[in-house]
């Protein structure tokens, strides 16, 4: 079974291989002697639907110890995203954002401190007061500064742990917590900037549950008579094309309902499947004449689709990007279900352009104002450098001068992740 792109499981996501942090890719359908069907299903799906099916190599599945290894060997050089997955895990995440973990994510700042980059409402650590920007200094009696990244990941993978965090005032707090099954909230923050008519929305993933969360946010902005929008997509790796369309509709206030939002193109054997996707009227829509978008290399796929899709209508000059260039994924996937094997095959199946046939941004979408990610402040804090830059532009029609401390840093980095783990982007 293939989910249609109009279904909420059609994906434009930043993914590569599979699973959660505790998973071993080689354990995805390991060869058992009676699993010929899995390899045959992969072959048939890739030959028929893979965007780059003409580049599939002539290899034998008999030479690979697992379906995942074989699938990875099939991928084109430019494909950083196709993957296979446990079907139940995949559907649970895309329906409700459900996964097992501590409910937060980390990033190394420019001086190599490991800071909380986001935290979900249901996180047991959020209940203890931890917020974005707090520094993790110790885990399970081990100083973070003395650990390699692999060692940190091993500790975070444990079902329970003792953490010592340090807030921005230099105060430390020790917390013991256990991993739990939780549903992530995709709207991390929605607020009006005090003393202004500027709406701020930090949005993390395009999931089914996002539909209700986004409607609530834009209803609030409408009630508050917002005039400007700062859309924070800095860590949003993508998700459903359905929700991407919804967000674009909400931003444009139904002004373009029925007009082309995006165009979808398949491989040469599936050109009959090509189609344009139109803006769909949204009850909660509230029109903005321009939008400021905060981005990083983690801004991918469905996020980039929103940015690219808005430009023909708002004008490129009114879709203003702040931060660093986006990930670069102008392609999307279908989910192919094999329920008997609990297998999801998720190959790159189509490319995407906007109404003006603009796409192909594999090198990322460049920003108007380049500035480093400010990990020392929470979402919506007016002193956070990316939001501050947007507010300065709104006030003065020009960006502030970049200081050396806020210039784009090559030292900031994140843990390398794969597949669904990369989309969840949390421990």
């Amino acid at each position: 079974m293939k989910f249609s792109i109009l279904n909420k499981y059609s994906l434009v996501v930043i993914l590569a291989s599979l699973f959660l942090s505790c998973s071993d890719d080689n354990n995805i359908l390991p060869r058992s002697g009676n699993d010929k069907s899995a390899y045959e299903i992969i072959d048939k799906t890739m030959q028929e639907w893979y965007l780059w099916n003409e580049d599939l190599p002539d290899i034998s599945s008999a030479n690979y110890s697992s379906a995942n290894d074989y699938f990875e060997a099939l991928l084109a050089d430019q494909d950083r995203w196709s993957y296979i997955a446990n079907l139940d895990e995949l559907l649970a995440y895309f329906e409700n954002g459900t996964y097992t973990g501590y409910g937060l994510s980390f990033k190394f700042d420019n001086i190599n401190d490991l800071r909380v980059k986001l935290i979900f409402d249901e996180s047991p650590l959020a209940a203890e007061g931890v917020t974005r920007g707090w520094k993790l200094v110790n885990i399970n009696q081990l100083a973070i500064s003395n650990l390699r990244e692999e060692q940190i990941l091993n500790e975070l993978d444990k079902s329970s742990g003792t953490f010592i965090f340090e807030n921005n005032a230099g105060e430390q707090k020790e917390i013991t917590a256990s991993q739990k099954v939780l549903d992530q909230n995709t709207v991390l923050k929605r607020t009006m900037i005090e003393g202004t008519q500027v709406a701020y929305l930090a949005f993390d993933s395009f999931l089914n549950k996002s539909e209700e969360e986004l409607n609530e946010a834009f209803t609030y902005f409408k009630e508050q008579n917002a005039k400007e929008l700062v859309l924070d997509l800095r860590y949003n790796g993508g998700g459903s094309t359905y929700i991407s369309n919804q967000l674009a509709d909400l931003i444009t206030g139904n002004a373009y309902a029925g007009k082309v939002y995006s165009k979808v193109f398949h491989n040469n054997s599936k050109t009959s499947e090509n189609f344009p996707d139109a803006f769909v009227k949204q009850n909660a829509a509230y029109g903005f004449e321009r939008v400021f978008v905060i981005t990083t290399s983690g801004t991918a796929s469905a996020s980039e689709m929103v940015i690219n899709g808005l430009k023909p209508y708002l004008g490129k000059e009114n879709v203003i990007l702040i931060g660093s260039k986006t990930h670069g994924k102008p392609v999307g996937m279908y989910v192919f279900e094999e329920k008997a094997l609990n297998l999801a095959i998720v190959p790159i199946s189509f490319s995407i352009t906007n109404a003006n046939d603009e796409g192909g941004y594999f090198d990322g979408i460049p920003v108007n104002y380049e500035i480093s990610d400010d990990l020392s402040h929470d979402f919506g804090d007016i002193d956070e450098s990316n939001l501050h830059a947007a507010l300065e532009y709104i006030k003065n029609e020009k960006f502030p001068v970049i200081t050396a401390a806020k210039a784009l840093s090559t030292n900031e980095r994140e843990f390398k992740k794969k597949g669904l783990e990369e989309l969840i982007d949390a421990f």
Side-chain angles (χ1 to χ4, degrees):
M1 174 184 176
K2 173 179 76 72
F3 291 130
S4 163
I5 189 171
L6 295 178
N7 183 286
K8 299 174 187 178
Y9 292 120
S10 300
L11 314 177
V12 267
V13 292
I14 172 174
L15 295 171
S17 180
L18 176 68
F19 248 15
L20 304 179
S21 58
C22 60
S23 299
D24 180 351
D25 288 344
N26 292 325
N27 286 333
I28 302 171
L29 290 180
R31 188 174 290 280
S32 63
N34 60 352
D35 55 0
K36 181 180 178 181
S37 61
Y39 295 87
E40 291 176 342
I41 292 165
I42 288 171
D43 281 337
K44 184 177 185 301
T45 302
M46 296 293 281
Q47 289 164 9
E48 184 177 0
W49 286 101
Y50 191 45
L51 181 62
W52 299 294
N53 62 347
E54 295 177 356
D55 297 329
L56 287 170
D58 184 14
I59 57 177
S60 172
S61 63
N63 296 327
Y64 295 87
S65 60
S66 74
N68 189 74
D69 287 344
Y70 177 58
F71 184 83
E72 289 290 318
L74 292 173
L75 303 185
D77 291 341
Q78 66 268 38
D79 186 356
R80 295 172 278 163
W81 309 286
S82 297
Y83 67 104
I84 63 175
N86 176 293
L87 180 61
D88 289 342
E89 296 275 359
L90 183 75
L91 297 188
Y93 180 70
F94 276 99
E95 184 63 37
N96 295 311
T98 302
Y99 81 104
T100 300
Y102 293 109
L104 79 172
S105 186
F106 297 96
K107 184 176 181 178
F108 290 96
D109 65 16
N110 59 3
I111 59 172
N112 208 40
D113 286 334
L114 185 61
R115 292 188 177 271
V116 176
K117 74 173 191 180
L118 62 83
I119 187 164
F120 301 126
D121 291 347
E122 292 188 7
S123 167
L125 296 169
E128 296 290 338
V130 177
T131 67
R132 169 179 160 83
W134 282 31
K135 180 169 64 175
L136 182 62
V137 296
N138 189 291
I139 183 170
N140 298 327
Q141 290 77 53
L142 300 170
I144 295 295
S145 59
N146 294 333
L147 299 179
R148 301 187 308 275
E149 289 187 22
E150 182 181 358
Q151 292 174 303
I152 297 172
L153 289 172
N154 287 339
E155 296 302 317
L156 289 171
D157 193 39
K158 294 178 179 178
S159 60
S160 62
T162 299
F163 307 83
I164 297 178
F165 288 96
E166 183 176 298
N167 65 21
N168 291 335
E171 302 164 333
Q172 294 191 351
K173 183 173 185 176
E174 181 175 316
I175 304 169
T176 298
S178 298
Q179 293 186 355
K180 57 179 285 191
V181 177
L182 55 87
D183 294 341
Q184 75 170 65
N185 50 295
T186 62
V187 170
L188 300 172
K189 180 88 171 183
R190 68 104 177 98
T191 191
M192 295 293 298
I193 303 302
E194 187 175 355
T196 75
Q197 289 180 295
V198 179
Y200 172 83
L201 176 67
F203 183 50
D204 183 54
S205 294
F206 294 76
L207 305 181
N208 280 9
K209 66 181 302 182
S210 305
E211 182 172 7
E212 182 177 345
E213 293 181 18
L214 288 173
N215 284 338
E216 188 280 332
F218 277 81
T219 297
Y220 170 74
F221 296 152
K222 184 186 298 185
E223 292 170 349
Q224 299 300 313
N225 195 30
K227 299 300 183 185
E228 301 275 7
L229 174 63
V230 179
L231 177 62
D232 195 336
L233 299 177
R234 73 184 76 191
Y235 307 131
N236 192 318
S240 164
T241 60
Y242 175 92
I243 303 300
S244 172
N245 189 313
Q246 178 205 7
L247 178 56
D249 291 319
L250 291 170
I251 292 170
T252 55
N254 292 328
Y256 309 106
K259 294 187 177 181
V260 173
Y261 169 56
S262 62
K263 298 179 183 180
V264 175
F265 301 91
H266 298 80
N267 64 42
N268 289 335
S269 67
K270 290 290 183 182
T271 55
S272 61
E273 300 282 343
N274 297 348
F275 67 93
D277 192 22
F279 285 93
V280 178
K281 187 175 182 179
Q282 302 290 326
N283 291 333
Y286 182 60
F288 292 93
E289 294 181 358
R290 65 179 177 181
V291 58
F292 295 83
V293 189
I294 298 174
T295 64
T296 67
S297 61
T299 306
S301 249
S303 292
E304 293 170 303
M305 187 178 180
V306 171
I307 294 166
N308 196 47
L310 289 175
K311 288 182 177 181
Y313 299 100
L314 296 184
K316 293 182 180 180
E317 70 279 7
N318 291 318
V319 183
I320 302 167
L321 272 60
I322 297 170
S324 55
K325 73 175 182 178
T326 66
H327 175 75
K329 185 173 179 287
V331 289
M333 307 111 133
Y334 290 126
V335 177
F336 297 87
E337 293 181 78
E338 186 55 39
K339 292 183 178 180
L341 298 173
N342 196 24
L343 174 67
I345 303 171
V346 193
I348 294 294
S349 304
F350 52 89
S351 62
I352 307 163
T353 70
N354 63 19
N356 291 345
D357 298 314
E358 296 165 326
Y361 38 83
F362 286 99
D363 293 328
I365 302 173
V367 297
N368 300 89
Y369 180 74
E370 191 172 66
I371 188 171
S372 64
D373 187 9
D374 183 354
L375 289 163
S376 63
H377 294 88
D378 203 353
F379 296 113
D381 186 330
I382 61 172
D383 291 324
E384 192 277 314
S385 60
N386 290 254
L387 175 56
H388 177 75
L391 296 176
E392 281 291 302
Y393 192 95
I394 291 168
K395 181 180 179 181
N396 301 314
E397 288 297 317
K398 63 179 181 180
F399 287 114
V401 176
I402 293 287
T403 64
K406 295 181 179 179
L408 196 62
S409 171
T410 57
N411 294 328
E412 293 179 4
R413 68 190 193 281
E414 302 192 47
F415 295 109
K416 294 181 180 180
K417 309 180 189 74
K418 294 181 179 180
L420 186 56
E421 180 191 14
E422 188 169 14
L423 183 65
I424 294 173
D425 192 24
F427 298 97

